[in-house]
Amino acid sequence: MSLNEVFITRTSHFLPNEPVSNDDIEEYLGYINNKPSKSKRLVLRNNGITKRYYAIDRSGKSTHTNAEMVAQSIRGLFDKPEDIRQLDLISCGTSSPDQLMPSHGVQVHGSLPEAGIIEVVSPSGVCCAGMHALKYAYMSVRTGEAHTAVATGSERLSRTMRSEMFDEEASKLEALAENPYIGFEKEFLRWMLSDGAGAFLLSDKKNETGLNLRIDWLDGFSYAQQMEACMYMGSDKDADGNLISYKDFTNEDLIGKSIMSIKQDVKLLGEHVVPLGITKMRETLEKRGWDVKDVNYFLPHMSSNFFRTKIFDEMEKQGIPIPYENWFVNLPNVGNVGAASIYLMVDELFQSGKLKKGDRILLLVPESSRFSYMYGGLTVC
């Protein structure tokens, strides 16, 4: 069977509302137990983020759903609304769907009345979910199952980071131990995460009037068979590191222990996320016959600028160094948008006017939830 070449012919993004500065975060997310955070300044100093976007207003009221943001990013791919009817597939990845059921993808489709009756798929996960969506769309076009497809990545986590999610737990802690501050593993991510959506239009034909990004390869790996969960939501860890589902907690504990909040095991993250990811990236580059000397742009998804030097040093240690001048990141200006982050980076680079035909772009997307990684190779043509 002959396989099609697959091209990203257009990119788009949607970021809700105005950017939120570091000083204004708690004006949107609120003060837990009416007390300023002890960890905010430390985390912000390390992560290097200066602006982020929230799909809520200052009162905490939602301004956009996840599905609505994705629909807006998809509309940005087309000159005319009726052109959306040419699509064969919509593939949507997120870690923060608006509901457990129906799926995120069909909710996006439902927000696009101008679209036709098409295939829809909803890969789940965390940061890698957007890349899983891209790979499904890529494979569909490559095999001829689809001629045109849209892949998206998006997040809407701001509502789950609002102070009222934690107030009851903080009040109980204050009553028990005179310490009203929730655990660092729960508060840490409040200063990291951002809302938004990005979209790629994939085709088996080049856009003849501008540049295209040919997808040369996409590879993914999971270390879950040897690593316990590092980032989790709707669950809690027991003493052995096993996750206990929200379904197995009482209603009182769901609220009193902030079970539905997103949590990060920072120690586990710091020890493993970089070495494991760079090891597999080196092996993937060897398998794909890519030499880092030929990489013009390296796009690493980072949750925090804290990992910048760690990634650089580990790549140098493993013999695949890429100089900083070849890196392209936008974390300071948009924050960590999870599954959407790689879409936002590619979109900004694609629209920047910097690319020229023949340039090679290397993508790295780590997912700390249980240590999964996605990598991709693109060529400008």
Side-chain angles (χ1 to χ4, degrees):
M1 181 176 106
S2 62
L3 297 174
N4 299 319
E5 287 191 310
V6 183
F7 306 95
I8 298 173
T9 59
R10 290 194 174 190
T11 66
S12 177
H13 73 275
F14 180 82
L15 297 171
N17 305 315
E18 295 298 315
V20 177
S21 70
N22 289 351
D23 292 337
D24 288 339
I25 294 177
E26 284 175 301
E27 297 301 316
Y28 285 82
L29 301 186
Y31 296 86
I32 296 175
N33 215 22
N34 295 314
K35 292 178 171 60
S37 166
K38 282 185 173 182
S39 66
K40 173 187 168 185
R41 193 174 300 278
L42 170 66
V43 175
L44 286 171
R45 186 172 68 242
N46 284 331
N47 70 27
I49 298 170
T50 60
K51 293 186 295 186
R52 74 281 298 141
Y53 293 81
Y54 295 141
I56 55 174
D57 61 21
R58 286 177 182 264
S59 71
K61 182 180 178 181
S62 295
T63 59
H64 305 79
T65 67
N66 190 327
E68 287 169 347
M69 290 191 293
V70 177
Q72 287 293 84
S73 70
I74 291 175
R75 290 188 178 103
L77 297 169
F78 298 92
D79 296 326
K80 296 177 291 186
E82 56 267 30
D83 290 345
I84 296 178
R85 294 189 70 86
Q86 71 184 258
L87 288 175
D88 301 313
L89 165 70
I90 297 177
S91 181
C92 303
T94 189
S95 63
S96 52
D98 298 309
Q99 62 290 306
L100 295 177
M101 293 183 280
S103 74
H104 174 58
V106 298
Q107 288 299 98
V108 171
H109 190 207
S111 299
L112 288 168
E114 60 269 46
I117 300 172
I118 55 176
E119 181 183 3
V120 176
V121 66
S122 307
S124 63
V126 189
C127 299
C128 284
M131 286 288 281
H132 294 155
L134 177 59
K135 185 159 186 178
Y136 187 95
Y138 162 73
M139 290 191 298
S140 296
V141 176
R142 187 139 170 81
T143 58
E145 290 291 315
H147 296 291
T148 57
V150 162
T152 73
S154 63
E155 300 295 355
R156 188 182 77 119
L157 283 159
S158 52
R159 278 291 305 159
T160 66
M161 299 186 292
R162 285 276 303 169
S163 57
E164 57 262 29
M165 293 286 292
F166 307 95
D167 278 341
E168 184 164 335
E169 179 181 2
S171 296
K172 287 185 175 181
L173 288 171
E174 187 173 34
L176 291 171
E178 298 182 354
N179 179 4
Y181 297 99
I182 64 170
F184 186 66
E185 76 280 2
K186 295 178 183 177
E187 193 179 12
F188 174 70
L189 289 167
R190 295 185 82 216
W191 322 120
M192 313 281 282
L193 300 176
S194 182
D195 297 340
F200 297 160
L201 179 61
L202 277 63
S203 175
D204 54 10
K205 294 181 175 60
K206 288 184 185 179
N207 173 12
E208 298 298 339
T209 60
L211 294 177
N212 302 269
L213 302 176
R214 186 184 69 229
I215 302 177
D216 295 329
W217 51 269
L218 297 168
D219 286 332
F221 305 93
S222 166
Y223 285 91
Q225 91 290 357
Q226 67 187 63
M227 301 298 299
E228 67 181 71
C230 177
M231 185 164 66
Y232 46 100
M233 185 178 185
S235 58
D236 208 1
K237 273 189 179 183
D238 65 17
D240 296 321
N242 301 310
L243 289 186
I244 305 171
S245 169
Y246 71 93
K247 297 177 182 180
D248 296 316
F249 285 92
T250 65
N251 289 339
E252 181 182 5
D253 278 346
L254 285 176
I255 298 171
K257 295 182 179 179
S258 307
I259 298 301
M260 300 310 292
S261 67
I262 186 169
K263 297 168 276 289
Q264 178 93 69
D265 186 325
V266 180
K267 184 174 183 293
L268 200 61
L269 175 75
E271 287 179 3
H272 299 290
V273 70
V274 172
L276 293 178
I278 300 306
T279 296
K280 268 300 174 190
M281 189 171 78
R282 174 179 51 77
E283 294 174 2
T284 299
L285 290 170
E286 291 172 359
K287 181 183 78 171
R288 294 296 184 176
W290 270 45
D291 190 325
V292 290
K293 294 177 183 176
D294 299 324
V295 172
N296 303 95
Y297 293 96
F298 174 47
L299 277 57
H301 165 49
M302 297 183 294
S303 62
S304 168
N305 196 56
F306 171 79
F307 291 109
R308 182 181 174 92
T309 56
K310 294 185 178 298
I311 292 171
F312 181 88
D313 291 346
E314 187 67 28
M315 290 174 67
E316 203 164 52
K317 176 183 173 183
Q318 297 208 28
I320 50 170
I322 297 179
Y324 280 131
E325 55 263 34
N326 289 18
W327 291 38
F328 187 91
V329 296
N330 57 8
L331 177 72
N333 296 321
V334 300
N336 175 9
V337 204
S341 287
I342 197 66
Y343 286 79
L344 299 180
M345 281 191 282
V346 171
D347 175 61
E348 188 172 326
L349 180 59
F350 193 62
Q351 309 291 345
S352 69
K354 295 179 179 180
L355 295 176
K356 61 184 186 300
K357 290 186 177 181
D359 282 347
R360 280 188 163 187
I361 302 169
L362 176 62
L363 312 179
L364 163 62
V365 180
E367 177 180 292
S368 64
S369 58
R370 198 154 176 174
F371 298 98
S372 300
Y373 301 85
M374 286 290 296
Y375 311 95
L378 312 176
T379 299
V380 182
C381 57

